[in-house]
Amino acid sequence: MQKTSSRLLALLSLLQTHRDWSGDDLAERLDITPRTVRRDIDRLRELGYPILAFKGPSGGYRLDAGSQLPPLLFDDGQAVALALALQSAATSPTIGEDAARALSTIRQVMPSRLRQRIDMLRVTAVQSPETGSASLVGTQLLMEVSRVIHAREELRFDYGHDATGLAEQPRRTQPHHLVTCRGHWYLIAWDLDRADWRTFRVDRIRPRTPTGPRFTARDLPGADVAAFVAGRFRGTDGSTADWPCHGEVILNLPAQAVAPFAQDGIVEELGPDRCRLSLGSWSWTGLAAAIGRFDTEIQVIGPPQLTGAFAELAARYANAAGTVRSAPPPDAETSR
């Protein structure tokens, strides 16, 4: 039987891989009794891990979200993937500094074998010329704007024509959506003083406190955020309108993580770990491949051609994965 410390780490690793585990399954995987599983679960809870118990034939456990971030356990593949993702995100004008600090923290606690692999795999992410003038928006400002959107509270803010000067009167708005397009973050909101929809550059917003009263959300014209934003910037900010194929998907990633690599797509925040991506490409399979690079769960909103392209790519990749080519026999002249 494993020692208690190593057994707790093994238990934590299992809880992180699946949503739900029955007590019997955990006992079998760890080669311990269900009673020992219950004791180890209690120990992990004492260490700050929010583990919920649910009823069933043999009971079960779930690692839940808590009020604080407890220590996480990654296998080798997850650690390498996380480090590479942070290296790429370090060039982002929005989260670059935070990504670099996170990478430094993770690298310090990595085993030497993994640290050597990361040091050999240096990645330099080069931004396209279109996003070279991306605006700098602090994560704190993005979080505050996101909070009032989800809370449906009126947002009052000073709004300037540039990063330093405030050339307009304070605005009173009902915030609707937070999106990113061509390297800039935008707030879509109903302007109470102008009685119309407006689009604001987030880097020019200076929120005022306190926020206003709660409100009932209005319907956005057309009920399509991507089409609304593309219509506002078509011809001036290089929307995706010129691509022959357009599609929309939902990704299980934060908008801040997707935005730097969405090229000329439109990213709409749906929650702390979900976003909607509207993207264009020269072909449906090219569009599906571009979306697949985000390496996360994908929910296709439409159109059907995009769903078909994912199915076509899946068949191609499955065929490629099942094809094993043997090396050709050495040439007779060479083997002499």
Side-chain angles (χ1 to χ4, degrees):
M1 183 180 294
Q2 294 174 302
K3 294 182 179 180
T4 301
S5 57
S6 60
R7 194 176 66 239
L8 288 177
L9 290 176
L11 174 58
L12 178 59
S13 179
L14 290 175
L15 290 171
Q16 290 180 163
T17 56
H18 292 294
R19 182 64 175 167
D20 298 325
W21 281 93
S22 71
D24 290 343
D25 287 341
L26 289 173
E28 181 179 353
R29 291 290 296 269
L30 298 172
D31 192 23
I32 57 179
T33 65
R35 182 180 179 183
T36 303
V37 170
R38 291 192 293 270
R39 288 203 305 265
D40 287 349
I41 291 291
D42 290 337
R43 291 190 180 99
L44 288 177
R45 287 170 175 162
E46 292 173 358
L47 294 174
Y49 293 95
I51 302 174
L52 302 180
F54 58 89
K55 296 181 180 179
S58 58
Y61 302 98
R62 173 185 306 154
L63 184 61
D64 199 29
S67 59
Q68 295 181 340
L69 182 65
L72 301 177
L73 185 66
F74 298 102
D75 59 31
D76 288 6
Q78 290 173 323
V80 172
L82 179 60
L84 290 178
L86 289 172
Q87 283 189 27
S88 299
T91 63
S92 166
T94 302
I95 61 173
E97 182 180 351
D98 291 335
R101 291 193 299 109
L103 177 60
S104 177
T105 300
I106 291 175
R107 188 182 178 280
Q108 288 179 8
V109 298
M110 276 186 173
S112 58
R113 67 179 189 281
L114 292 182
R115 194 180 305 117
Q116 292 173 2
R117 291 173 61 184
I118 294 302
D119 290 343
M120 287 188 296
L121 259 176
R122 285 293 177 183
V123 175
T124 301
V126 180
Q127 294 181 354
S128 62
E130 293 85 355
T131 59
S133 59
S135 57
L136 298 177
V137 181
T139 54
Q140 189 63 36
L141 177 57
L142 288 176
M143 291 175 61
E144 175 59 19
V145 174
S146 297
R147 187 195 66 78
V148 295
I149 289 174
H150 290 289
R152 302 211 181 284
E153 297 174 354
E154 291 183 6
L155 178 64
R156 301 181 305 120
F157 56 86
D158 295 308
Y159 191 67
H161 289 301
D162 54 48
T164 57
L166 298 174
E168 297 186 3
Q169 295 296 319
R171 313 297 284 264
R172 296 188 310 118
T173 66
Q174 294 178 346
H176 195 279
H177 275 83
L178 187 65
V179 301
T180 179
C181 180
R182 286 278 177 167
H184 297 294
W185 286 93
Y186 295 94
L187 170 66
I188 301 174
W190 176 263
D191 193 312
L192 291 168
D193 295 322
R194 292 159 179 79
D196 195 8
W197 290 98
R198 290 290 189 268
T199 305
F200 302 96
R201 281 266 298 266
V202 177
D203 60 309
R204 298 174 182 174
I205 289 176
R206 302 295 181 269
R208 290 193 172 196
T209 55
T211 55
R214 293 179 180 271
F215 62 91
T216 301
R218 303 168 185 266
D219 292 330
L220 193 68
D224 189 308
V225 176
F228 179 85
V229 175
R232 290 293 172 111
F233 299 114
R234 185 174 290 117
T236 60
D237 203 31
S239 72
T240 60
D242 293 333
W243 289 112
C245 303
H246 301 266
E248 290 188 14
V249 297
I250 292 178
L251 303 176
N252 288 348
L253 288 173
Q256 295 93 325
V258 174
F261 311 103
Q263 299 178 351
D264 57 351
I266 297 173
V267 183
E268 171 195 348
E269 183 193 46
L270 300 180
D273 297 309
R274 294 176 73 244
C275 67
R276 184 196 307 261
L277 172 63
S278 176
L279 195 63
S281 183
W282 57 275
S283 72
W284 291 112
T285 52
L287 179 58
I291 295 172
R293 65 180 176 162
F294 288 102
D295 192 22
T296 187
E297 294 296 322
I298 301 170
Q299 177 186 343
V300 179
I301 300 175
Q305 293 92 324
L306 179 57
T307 303
F310 275 114
E312 183 178 347
L313 281 182
R316 289 184 190 176
Y317 292 155
N319 181 62
T323 301
V324 180
R325 295 182 180 179
S326 57
D331 183 76
E333 189 70 26
T334 307
S335 60
R336 293 177 182 176

